[in-house]
Amino acid sequence: MSSDASPTRMTTPSDNPVAFGQRVQIYRNRRGMTREQLAGLLGHHTSWVKKIETGTMRMPRLPEILRIAEVLHVRRLNDLVGDVGAEPHTDLFLGPGHDRLPAVRAALSSFPAPSSRQAPSVAYLRAALDAAWSARHGAPNHREVIGGLLPGLIRDARLAVREADTTAARRSAQAIQAEVYFLAQFFVAYQPDPSLLWRVSERGMIAAQESEDPHAIGVAAWLAAQAHRDSGPGHYDAADTVVMDALRVLEPTVSGAPLDVQAIVGALKFEAGFTAAKRRDSGTAWGWWDRADRVAQRLPGGYFHRVTSFGRAVMGAHGVTVAVELRSGGESVRQANRAEAAAIPSRPRRARHRIEQARAYYLDGRHETALTTLEQAHAAAPETIRYNGYARSIVLEESTSRTPGRRQRASRLAVEIGLTAA
């Protein structure tokens, strides 16, 4: 999940190649990256980055610019290349603000004032959360449904914690409140309010810790690790620290633990592998994938963790993600061809897997197949692809393709996901 705010926009004229290089250098420095690190992530020599930054090389073509934006987490393409006349800003890694976002933000930001109404029971809140998670995984417009449910859930969970009259009741209510924040984190991710994402993540962690519930603590760590990792290379160590601290707490108790606790241990192990793949540490990445897979194979065949999607069915999808992050085109395609999307019971997770497959095919130069796969992702869960930066960048790049058929398909998809107007 993407989590940090865009740096302040720069307004240097875009027709000066040195200005583009200056932007690259500024964003690289803000990410705490050296030229060598940026070059490695882009697959170029350090001298190539130096030439770009000093303006001795002309601005590269769109595919390379998009890759630089991805690596540096530049949210709007205009922030990297400069203002282009009156053209609108193209936001690559944050989706459009959802219509439900203001109401969810208001519920999260409101002061917990005393209320005359009685708090709902934990059983009622649990049933409401069950319905919300079912909608999250089953509805194609899952953000719309969850966004409608969250304001009431947030207020009810807060009231239940405040009115709990015993230590045990308070801990149960805190566990419920933590899970409400977990659901909220899925909603606010990739939307244009990164500070709200961090606020939700921190509140979820606090509620989980106060509940002393191992499962809640594990999920909070899983979400926090994603928020740190998506903040860029300078935060990878923080992501690892969160994961390792959680594993040290949970692993000693995992034998005989409930399935959900076992699953969150497996999900955390994959997160360690994901971060290693981001660093291009192939051995460590696949080693953690193997550890996560061993956990998955001990779970029942049909098991599916409703927060992390962890289970046997998702490990193939995780393999695609590792290979893509390692920038291994051939291995990415092999993993993509092996992983069966239909086995994943969650619509948004299935769509996300399709997007990762599309990244694999695109990395291998199979652009037609990548577009077909993105179309399948859109059919599975339109709101998932609409808010996914990788899908948006592929569609944007293909909308300028010299191949008319690809350009037309990408242009239609760009309209459907809200990148361009009809």
Side-chain angles (χ1 to χ4, degrees):
M1 291 181 186
S2 191
S3 53
D4 65 335
S6 297
T8 303
R9 291 190 65 251
M10 293 165 282
T11 56
T12 314
S14 62
D15 57 356
N16 182 352
V18 177
F20 171 76
Q22 288 172 338
R23 288 186 176 89
V24 172
Q25 184 175 20
I26 290 169
Y27 281 106
R28 174 177 62 77
N29 289 334
R30 286 177 176 175
R31 288 287 167 194
M33 298 172 66
T34 64
R35 280 179 176 163
E36 290 78 7
Q37 288 171 326
L38 178 58
L41 291 170
L42 295 173
H44 286 291
H45 192 273
T46 304
S47 61
W48 185 90
V49 174
K50 182 178 180 179
K51 289 177 182 178
I52 288 290
E53 292 186 348
T54 58
T56 58
M57 179 186 294
R58 293 181 61 84
M59 186 186 298
R61 294 176 61 84
L62 180 60
E64 197 69 63
I65 293 173
L66 291 171
R67 179 61 183 152
I68 293 170
E70 175 187 341
V71 169
L72 295 179
H73 280 227
V74 179
R75 303 304 185 188
R76 294 180 298 189
L77 189 60
N78 307 68
D79 289 349
L80 195 60
V81 301
D83 294 324
V84 184
E87 290 296 314
H89 298 300
T90 301
D91 194 333
L92 296 176
F93 301 103
L94 287 177
H98 197 281
D99 290 344
R100 300 281 190 180
L101 181 59
V104 174
R105 183 193 294 116
L108 289 165
S109 302
S110 63
F111 184 78
S115 174
S116 58
R117 66 186 181 94
Q118 185 176 0
S121 67
V122 167
Y124 171 87
L125 287 172
R126 174 58 61 193
L129 267 174
D130 289 345
W133 284 115
S134 294
R136 150 78 184 160
H137 293 299
N141 61 333
H142 53 92
R143 284 183 183 267
E144 172 68 21
V145 176
I146 292 172
L149 295 172
L150 273 171
L153 276 171
I154 291 165
R155 295 184 178 102
D156 284 347
R158 183 181 290 162
L159 187 59
V161 171
R162 188 168 62 243
E163 293 192 1
D165 54 5
T166 67
T167 299
R170 183 175 178 82
R171 285 177 180 167
S172 295
Q174 289 279 12
I176 290 286
Q177 186 177 51
E179 193 166 342
V180 170
Y181 287 137
F182 301 157
L183 186 67
Q185 192 162 341
F186 279 97
F187 177 81
V188 302
Y190 300 115
Q191 296 203 50
D193 193 347
S195 64
L196 185 63
L197 177 68
W198 277 108
R199 196 186 320 163
V200 173
S201 177
E202 290 169 355
R203 288 184 183 179
M205 180 69 79
I206 291 169
Q209 290 174 339
E210 292 187 357
S211 76
E212 300 186 5
D213 179 272
H215 176 254
I217 291 169
V219 174
W222 181 80
L223 287 166
Q226 292 191 13
H228 282 298
R229 184 179 59 240
D230 287 348
S231 295
H235 299 263
Y236 290 172
D237 287 348
D240 280 338
T241 297
V242 170
V243 168
M244 297 310 163
D245 286 349
L247 286 175
R248 276 192 289 273
V249 171
L250 296 178
E251 278 202 287
T253 66
V254 76
S255 180
L259 290 179
D260 283 353
V261 175
Q262 297 179 45
I264 196 58
V265 168
L268 285 164
K269 290 182 177 183
F270 171 70
E271 288 305 307
F274 194 169
T275 305
K278 284 280 192 181
R279 288 192 177 99
R280 305 290 178 83
D281 185 346
S282 178
T284 302
W286 286 115
W288 279 111
W289 184 93
D290 285 337
R291 294 182 184 96
D293 188 53
R294 286 196 290 271
V295 175
Q297 297 309 315
R298 292 195 293 268
L299 297 170
Y303 176 84
F304 181 79
H305 189 267
R306 70 183 187 179
V307 182
T308 67
S309 299
F310 190 81
R312 294 186 192 179
V314 84
M315 289 309 300
H318 284 336
V320 177
T321 296
V322 169
V324 168
E325 293 297 342
L326 290 170
R327 308 295 291 174
S328 175
E331 180 61 22
S332 298
V333 169
R334 283 191 290 275
Q335 293 288 341
N337 290 338
R338 288 170 49 193
E340 179 51 60
I344 300 174
S346 165
R347 272 181 177 266
R349 188 60 185 86
R350 196 157 60 242
R352 162 118 180 269
H353 173 45
R354 289 297 191 196
I355 293 167
E356 293 294 280
Q357 286 180 311
R359 291 178 68 197
Y361 294 132
Y362 211 77
L363 183 64
D364 202 47
R366 296 166 60 173
H367 294 186
E368 289 278 1
T369 306
L371 280 174
T372 298
T373 310
L374 287 179
E375 290 165 348
Q376 293 171 338
H378 185 265
E383 287 192 338
T384 295
I385 187 172
R386 184 178 177 86
Y387 288 85
N388 187 281
Y390 296 117
R392 291 160 67 88
S393 63
I394 291 174
V395 170
L396 181 64
E397 185 173 332
E398 282 299 285
S399 67
T400 64
S401 171
R402 295 180 180 178
T403 305
R406 280 165 41 197
R407 186 171 63 249
Q408 291 167 5
R409 291 174 68 191
S411 296
R412 285 195 299 270
L413 197 53
V415 172
E416 291 174 340
I417 68 176
L419 263 179
T420 58

